[in-house]
Amino acid sequence: MNLEIFNNLLNKVKESDFIQNFLTELTDYLEKNSKGENQLKLQQKETSLEAVNQENGLYQVVDFSSNGVYLQNTETNKIFEETNLPQEIKNKIGNDYILRYQNGTYNIEQELTDKFMNNMVGIQEYKKIQENFIKESNIQQIDPNTKYKIKDHQENHTILTYGKENTIKVPNELLPFFTNEKTTLIYKNGKFEKI
């Protein structure tokens, strides 16, 4: 008998317009929210692609993948996989090639690539330059949290500023290749790094 009363109440609740309206509104809300989340994810993906493919941006080839090429943004140092690189360009490039993104496509920057390749030094030579720099400068006495900015870039060395008006002369081989007046550097673990 109690079971029969419970079943009758349950059937009346199911038939109630209030419950049906609530369920309909809840379903509509969840569908809209799901579409909103998907739209937000799509917008975030488009924004991240725009951040990667900056107009007139320079990108260095760091590796090849089965789907494309890994590129490093020379300004931010962020590495990403580019899967839409034309086969004709992929056939012409190798590691450390420099590409410029313009008008929705990548172009090989041959002159910049050649300059980059010519500025590369071997490990032994790099270590000698680094040792001489440490001996001739006071870099080890400077606070390791010090931030450096480029003051003057010359053919063989660059003058960095730090603190109020302090400067230090650094061989170009010890600096990241893609540095400019906007670049902030720190000296960490025996080398200069972009931050």
Side-chain angles (χ1 to χ4, degrees):
M1 184 164 172
N2 287 338
L3 185 59
E4 189 176 311
I5 293 173
F6 177 75
N7 283 335
N8 285 339
L9 280 172
L10 186 60
N11 287 336
K12 287 184 181 184
V13 166
K14 285 181 182 176
E15 294 171 2
S16 166
D17 287 340
F18 175 76
I19 298 296
Q20 288 301 324
N21 289 340
F22 174 76
L23 289 174
T24 302
E25 286 182 33
L26 181 60
T27 302
D28 289 346
Y29 172 78
L30 291 174
E31 285 177 3
K32 287 179 185 176
N33 192 32
S34 174
K35 288 177 186 174
E37 285 178 12
N38 290 338
Q39 185 67 26
L40 180 62
K41 287 178 185 175
L42 180 62
Q43 288 172 345
Q44 288 171 338
K45 185 175 182 180
E46 288 171 357
T47 302
S48 67
L49 283 175
E50 288 170 8
V52 168
N53 296 327
Q54 297 170 343
E55 186 66 22
N56 210 28
L58 294 174
Y59 300 88
Q60 184 174 5
V61 176
V62 293
D63 205 355
F64 290 82
S65 71
S66 58
N67 296 325
V69 177
Y70 287 102
L71 299 177
Q72 180 175 13
N73 183 317
T74 61
E75 192 173 315
T76 64
N77 289 338
K78 292 188 178 174
I79 296 173
F80 62 97
E81 183 180 24
E82 179 56 73
T83 57
N84 294 321
L85 202 62
Q87 190 63 41
E88 146 189 347
I89 290 180
K90 285 177 16 182
N91 292 339
K92 293 179 182 178
I93 61 174
N95 283 352
D96 295 325
Y97 269 67
I98 311 301
L99 306 176
R100 183 178 302 275
Y101 184 79
Q102 277 183 314
N103 301 321
T105 61
Y106 289 96
N107 299 302
I108 299 171
E109 284 286 327
Q110 194 62 51
E111 187 176 319
L112 197 52
T113 299
D114 293 342
K115 184 177 178 183
F116 176 80
M117 300 283 192
N118 291 335
N119 283 329
M120 293 177 78
V121 295
I123 294 172
Q124 295 301 323
E125 186 178 352
Y126 180 85
K127 286 183 178 184
K128 285 180 186 176
I129 294 168
Q130 188 178 40
E131 288 171 7
N132 287 337
F133 171 69
I134 290 170
K135 285 178 188 174
E136 294 172 3
S137 72
N138 63 346
I139 193 71
Q140 292 182 322
Q141 283 81 39
I142 300 173
D143 179 1
N145 296 317
T146 299
K147 294 178 181 171
Y148 301 87
K149 293 293 251 177
I150 293 176
K151 180 178 182 181
D152 185 29
H153 186 76
Q154 297 183 4
E155 189 175 335
N156 297 320
H157 67 273
T158 299
I159 304 295
L160 301 179
T161 61
Y162 65 97
K164 291 193 177 191
E165 292 189 27
N166 300 315
T167 60
I168 189 167
K169 183 178 174 181
V170 180
N172 288 337
E173 293 87 354
L174 300 182
L175 296 175
F177 184 76
F178 294 100
T179 56
N180 57 37
E181 292 74 28
K182 297 176 188 175
T183 307
T184 302
L185 302 164
I186 58 168
Y187 187 75
K188 185 177 179 181
N189 300 323
K191 64 179 187 175
F192 286 94
E193 298 176 3
K194 291 163 106 177
I195 56 170

